[in-house]
Amino acid sequence: MTLPRQRGLTEQAATTAIDTACRLLRLPSIRKEFADIADRAVKDQMTYRGFLAELLMAECDDRARRRSERRIKAAQLPAGEVAAGLRLRGQPQHRRGHRQHARQLRVDQEGAAALPDR
């Protein structure tokens, strides 16, 4: 597939075309970061493929971040709760280790496991 080349596009026209295309294709990260990445590409003398890779990776990273935020929001955790700050009471493998919990179980005479008396 070959694309028709348009020559003579001014910088302003190119920027407008990129902005419009990003809106139509729903690429908000590329639209937002395009100018900065383009300036950095010129400065670092990136190849076209390197520049394109930077743009696409920025979009992928931002989508992954937004997806994670959506999932956290959908989990409906109480406000201010963070996974690292949750106390895992009642989870013996977290409290004292799985082996110690297994030792606390006693086996009754029928061979069925029973919780220790407290």
Side-chain angles (χ1 to χ4, degrees):
M1 178 173 124
T2 57
L3 299 173
R5 294 188 181 200
Q6 294 182 354
R7 300 182 189 257
L9 229 71
T10 64
E11 286 293 317
Q12 185 178 4
T15 301
T16 303
I18 291 167
D19 185 70
T20 303
C22 286
R23 284 178 192 266
L24 290 172
L25 296 172
R26 297 183 184 177
L27 301 169
S29 301
I30 290 177
R31 190 173 138 249
K32 180 175 61 177
E33 297 181 31
F34 171 76
D36 294 335
I37 295 174
D39 292 341
R40 194 171 355 126
V42 169
K43 180 182 171 189
D44 296 344
Q45 297 180 344
M46 287 181 160
T47 64
Y48 292 120
R49 287 178 190 219
F51 172 64
L52 181 59
E54 286 288 324
L55 281 175
L56 295 174
M57 291 308 298
E59 184 68 36
C60 290
D61 291 345
D62 194 45
R63 285 182 183 209
R65 182 189 53 78
R66 289 191 317 256
R67 184 180 314 115
S68 177
E69 289 172 356
R70 277 193 312 272
R71 288 179 178 168
I72 289 170
K73 188 175 179 179
Q76 297 179 345
L77 294 174
E81 291 288 334
V82 179
L86 294 175
R87 300 183 85 190
L88 299 173
R89 291 186 183 184
Q91 301 293 329
Q93 64 271 24
H94 295 289
R95 190 172 56 223
R96 291 188 205 101
H98 185 67
R99 285 187 189 153
Q100 187 173 358
H101 177 66
R103 277 189 237 125
Q104 290 175 350
L105 292 175
R106 62 172 163 58
V107 178
D108 63 12
Q109 294 188 350
E110 289 91 28
L115 292 174
D117 296 327
R118 293 197 177 203

